Amino acid sequence: MLGVGLLTGAVTGSWLAGDSGDDGARSAYAEAGELWHSVPVDQLFPPTVQGKGAGPGGADRTWTRVAVAPDGDCAGAFDRLLAKVLDPVGCSRLLRATYTDATQSYVTTVGLLFTKADAAAMTSLAGRFEKEGLGRRTDLMPLPYAAKDTVAEGFGAPQRASWTVSVLTDAPVVVYAVSGWADDRTVDDPEPAEEAIESGATSAPAQAGLGHEAQGLADRVERALRKNVGAPTEHPS
């Protein structure tokens, strides 16, 4: 059964599994990297995600899952340059799902890359993303997951409009999301979510709220996953 557990945030330790100190942090980190296969898919990628205040101007959002990709390795899952940037932390498992909003106007893929890296390597990669602004480079956008016979069937690389990539430092996980219009329109000038959600942003993705779609879904999938760390999990019979 597809699933995952992870921890997020700047502080590791006691809130995760009742532990404190370095030993607890290391234990929680290791647990997070191994729980991807034990949490049910509906906990990992809920069929419906509520985004209270997640839209432009604090508007509420509701997202419905339209497809879950088969879990697997990262072969062919990223553009060449992004794959090269992520290569130092390795790929243990990649999990993805695609959602649409309540009006079926937008589509968003959320991904969880479970790496093979220790905390030091994840911290190093996170530092590089921050220092070099890698999360804002259009040549490092994640690829969407387009599923046949869904509203996201035409959601390919040219349709990417806004995105976010978050390298966790207290779990071996990279969380990302990429959004676009559901009518298969191509996008000449995609914009990173952190810029598209800023007040006064005037780009087409910003005006459509696609930065909020990517950032809002990524944040809420992370929150759902956080609840599973240290909690009892279901196992396939």
Side-chain angles (χ1 to χ4, degrees):
M1 187 174 289
L2 183 64
V4 64
L6 87 141
L7 54 142
T8 61
V11 180
T12 61
S14 59
W15 71 273
L16 275 167
D19 292 324
S20 61
D22 292 342
D23 289 344
R26 283 193 295 268
S27 176
Y29 185 95
E31 178 191 358
E34 294 296 326
L35 288 180
W36 63 265
H37 54 79
S38 60
V39 177
V41 64
D42 284 350
Q43 293 181 31
L44 170 61
F45 297 124
T48 302
V49 176
Q50 299 297 332
K52 184 174 178 60
D60 294 340
R61 281 287 190 267
T62 299
W63 296 286
T64 301
R65 191 184 70 200
V66 297
V68 177
D71 65 307
D73 60 26
C74 294
F78 299 108
D79 286 337
R80 182 188 59 81
L81 190 55
L82 180 56
K84 183 178 180 180
V85 169
L86 296 172
D87 186 64
V89 295
C91 176
S92 177
R93 189 70 55 163
L94 178 64
L95 311 174
R96 296 168 292 168
T98 296
Y99 288 80
T100 189
D101 70 306
T103 66
Q104 295 194 356
S105 298
Y106 313 119
V107 285
T108 303
T109 292
V110 185
L112 295 166
L113 166 59
F114 281 75
T115 77
K116 300 177 180 179
D118 59 16
M122 293 298 290
T123 298
S124 176
L125 181 62
R128 185 183 176 197
F129 263 78
E130 178 66 23
K131 182 178 180 180
E132 300 179 24
L134 301 186
R136 298 187 297 274
R137 284 177 45 171
T138 56
D139 56 352
L140 295 176
M141 282 190 292
L143 287 170
Y145 173 64
K148 291 183 178 180
D149 302 319
T150 74
V151 67
E153 185 170 10
F155 188 24
Q159 283 73 39
R160 294 175 292 185
S162 192
W163 76 99
T164 181
V165 179
S166 177
V167 180
L168 306 185
T169 58
D170 52 356
V173 180
V174 177
V175 183
Y176 67 85
V178 57
S179 63
W181 281 273
D183 61 5
D184 304 347
R185 77 181 71 175
T186 59
V187 180
D188 294 328
D189 297 304
E191 185 173 38
E194 66 179 280
E195 296 177 7
I197 64 176
E198 290 181 355
S199 177
T202 60
S203 69
Q207 291 293 304
L210 284 163
H212 290 82
E213 297 292 308
Q215 192 67 61
L217 259 174
D219 287 348
R220 281 152 183 81
V221 166
E222 268 195 53
R223 293 176 196 175
L225 298 173
R226 185 181 306 150
K227 296 177 182 178
N228 289 299
V229 178
T233 58
E234 298 178 20
H235 297 271
S237 59

